[in-house]
């Protein structure tokens, strides 16, 4: 599996809040989470793509991540215009992603 | 439209083959078969941005096979390609499809933006009175929709349990056979050589709109002489620059994405710059032109074109399946200042070259 830059992701996990529902394991598209002793654990945080699925679907608020549009065109657009990052997927801008 | 009870427009669609009666009225019945125009649509959506931006289906409820109150409910985006792939995989199985209004955007991108989201799903479940149509009280969402949907909030608001299906619709049959369980493989996002190749035409098509500006600009710049615009200079000298320009587009938007895992470094900007510099060097060696003997021109080429390749490769982070927003921001902090410095120096070199040429003539 290809890996992106090391030690940049903002994923935070509070083990004490975990109730072991395994929702994070279901929704994570990057196999970040494992499960041991009735609780989730982070296998490799560098695999995280910050999509935010785990935070959205953790009913107990054990996971936090600053999710966002991980596309250079969108971020540069935001930097230049000061607007929300958008990558043209909605046809407003024509820089290409997704 | 009143004759089949479906929402506006869908009656005329080729893939609507009839209707089924449900407690909330007649629901358009669709086929899993792809017609010629569905296949053409898929091709065009991969290549033409203008076509892709307006490739939509009407949001709402659709029936596959002859579904009843015990059938599965699948949720999809209203980007037609997402919808087409889902109905193809469901085939003749009895099932319902709820299409959310994602403004014609695919599931993953729409989930990131929040249009494939908790609120939209809750409002569609309520609007369609889904509780009168199925007893199972569960909806199956593509796993990549999870970035926009809070399953537990949907359940609290509607009573419908959100179940996450596989990432790819092609795994739906296996997923159901496994008792609605997605295995490790089905839960990961593939990004193979083929997956990356499919994305390249759109990258190139989006850039080609800008390449024309570059070509015109270069022709004018090199053609501009004290006597006016000279075609010989424009085409012979400008031509050399245009070759380098096209090469850097090829390097950044085609070669780097295709060879991604084999290029050293994790940063996309560095990957693109490396390949760009390599392509430029190869080209400098193989092109015979007296223009390249000029020190300013040589510098401008070495500075500018690898940066173009780097920028285009960096943009591919939007297509990739394993990059994060924090990583992209970190790359930007280093890359953007370097892009600006390199481009400015290259521009300065070109101006100096032009001054040199004009002075020798005047």
């Amino acid at each position: 599996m290809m890996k992106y830059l090391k030690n940049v992701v903002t994923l935070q996990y509070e083990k004490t809040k975990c109730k072991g529902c395994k929702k994070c394991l279901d929704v994570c598209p990057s196999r970040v989470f494992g499960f041991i002793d009735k609780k989730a654990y982070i296998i490799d945080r560098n695999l995280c793509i910050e999509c935010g699925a785990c935070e959205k679907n953790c009913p107990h608020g054990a996971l936090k991540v600053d999710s966002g549009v991980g596309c250079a065109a969108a971020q540069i657009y935001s930097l230049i215009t000061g607007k929300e990052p958008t990558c043209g997927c909605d046809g407003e801008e024509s820089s290409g992603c997704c | 439209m009143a004759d089949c009870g479906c929402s506006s427009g869908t009656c005329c669609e080729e893939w609507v083959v009839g209707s089924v009666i449900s407690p909330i009225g007649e629901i358009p019945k669709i086929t899993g078969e792809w017609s010629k125009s569905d296949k053409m649509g898929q091709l065009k959506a991969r290549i033409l941005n203008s076509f892709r931006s307006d490739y939509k289906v009407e949001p709402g409820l659709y029936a596959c096979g002859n579904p009843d109150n015990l059938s599965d409910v699948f949720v999809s985006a209203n980007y037609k390609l997402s919808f087409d792939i889902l109905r193809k995989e469901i085939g003749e199985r009895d099932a319902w499809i709820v299409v959310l209004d994602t403004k014609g955007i695919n599931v993953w991108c729409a989930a990131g933006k929040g249009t494939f989201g908790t609120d939209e799903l809750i409002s569609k479940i309520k609007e369609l009175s889904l509780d009168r149509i199925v007893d199972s009280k569960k909806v199956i969402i593509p796993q990549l929709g999870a970035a926009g949907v809070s399953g537990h909030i949907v359940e609290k608001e509607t009573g419908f349990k959100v179940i996450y299906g596989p990432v790819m619709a092609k795994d739906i049959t296996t997923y159901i056979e496994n008792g609605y369980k997605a295995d490790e493989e089905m839960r990961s996002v593939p990004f193979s050589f083929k997956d990356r190749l499919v994305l390249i035409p759109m990258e190139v098509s989006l850039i080609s709109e800008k390449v024309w500006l570059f070509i015109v600009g270069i022709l004018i710049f090199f053609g501009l002489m004290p006597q006016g615009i000279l075609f010989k200079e424009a085409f012979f000298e400008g031509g050399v620059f245009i070759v380098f320009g096209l090469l850097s587009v090829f390097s950044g938007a085609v070669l780097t994405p295709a060879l991604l895992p084999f290029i050293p470094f994790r940063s996309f900007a560095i990957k693109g710059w490396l390949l760009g510099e390599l392509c430029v060097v190869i080209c400098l060696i193989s092109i015979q032109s007296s223009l390249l003997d000029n020190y300013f021109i040589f510098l401008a080429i070495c500075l500018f074109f690898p940066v173009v390749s780097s920028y285009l490769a960096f943009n591919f982070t939007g297509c990739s399946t394993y990059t994060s927003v924090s990583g992209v921001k970190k790359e930007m902090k280093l890359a953007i200042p370097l892009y600006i410095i390199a481009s400015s120096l290259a521009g300065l070199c070109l101006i100096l070259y032009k001054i040199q040429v004009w002075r020798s003539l005047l």
Side-chain angles (χ1 to χ4, degrees), chain A residues 9-79:
Chain A
V9 296
T10 53
L11 178 66
Q12 286 177 320
Y13 170 53
E14 264 186 80
K15 198 174 177 181
T16 48
K17 289 189 179 171
C18 179
K19 300 270 198 297
C21 71
K22 290 193 180 174
K23 269 277 173 298
C24 51
L25 276 83
D26 280 348
V27 298
C28 176
S30 310
R31 304 190 197 178
V32 170
F33 302 100
F35 198 76
I36 200 162
D37 292 336
K38 295 179 184 170
K39 286 195 189 262
Y41 74 99
I42 293 175
I43 299 171
D44 181 357
R45 54 185 295 106
N46 289 321
L47 290 175
C48 175
I49 60 168
E50 300 181 319
C51 70
C54 57
E55 177 178 339
K56 272 229 146 66
N57 285 280
C58 176
H60 314 291
L63 289 154
K64 288 266 171 301
V65 60
D66 295 337
S67 54
V69 187
C71 163
Q75 292 300 335
I76 292 170
Y77 169 81
S78 165
L79 187 77

Side-chain angles (χ1 to χ4, degrees), chain A residues 1-11 22-31 33-34 43-44 46-61 65-80 85-98, chain B residues 49 52-53 103-106 108-109 111-113 118 143-153 161-162 164-165 167 184-189 191-192 196 199 202-203 206 209-210 260-261 266-268 311 314-332 336 339:
Chain A
M1 188 178 266
M2 281 178 269
K3 284 187 188 177
Y4 196 38
L5 309 185
K6 263 186 189 169
N7 305 325
V8 289
V9 296
T10 53
L11 178 66
K22 290 193 180 174
K23 269 277 173 298
C24 51
L25 276 83
D26 280 348
V27 298
C28 176
S30 310
R31 304 190 197 178
F33 302 100
I43 299 171
D44 181 357
N46 289 321
L47 290 175
C48 175
I49 60 168
E50 300 181 319
C51 70
C54 57
E55 177 178 339
K56 272 229 146 66
N57 285 280
C58 176
H60 314 291
V65 60
D66 295 337
S67 54
V69 187
C71 163
Q75 292 300 335
I76 292 170
Y77 169 81
S78 165
L79 187 77
I80 295 169
T86 176
C87 52
C89 306
D90 41 11
E92 283 169 22
E93 288 297 308
S94 61
S95 44
C97 59
C98 337
Chain B
N49 188 42
R52 177 183 66 163
S53 332
K103 319 282 174 218
I105 308 296
N106 68 71
W108 197 355
C109 288
K113 287 168 195 299
T118 313
Q143 192 203 308
L144 292 182
V149 174
S150 285
H152 54 280
I153 297 179
K161 199 174 161 61
V162 169
Y164 291 104
V167 167
E184 285 274 295
E185 188 78 13
M186 286 183 216
R187 275 195 269 125
S188 324
V189 188
F191 201 43
S192 65
R196 297 196 301 275
L199 299 166
M202 181 59 71
E203 290 295 291
L206 287 166
E209 295 162 15
K210 284 157 196 157
L260 206 58
R266 291 186 176 188
S267 150
F268 278 52
Y311 174 74
F314 189 24
N315 271 350
F316 199 67
T317 48
C319 293
S320 81
T321 58
Y322 69 99
T323 52
S324 62
V325 59
S326 299
V328 167
K329 283 182 176 166
K330 187 182 174 184
E331 281 206 59
M332 268 172 66
I336 303 290
Y339 289 168

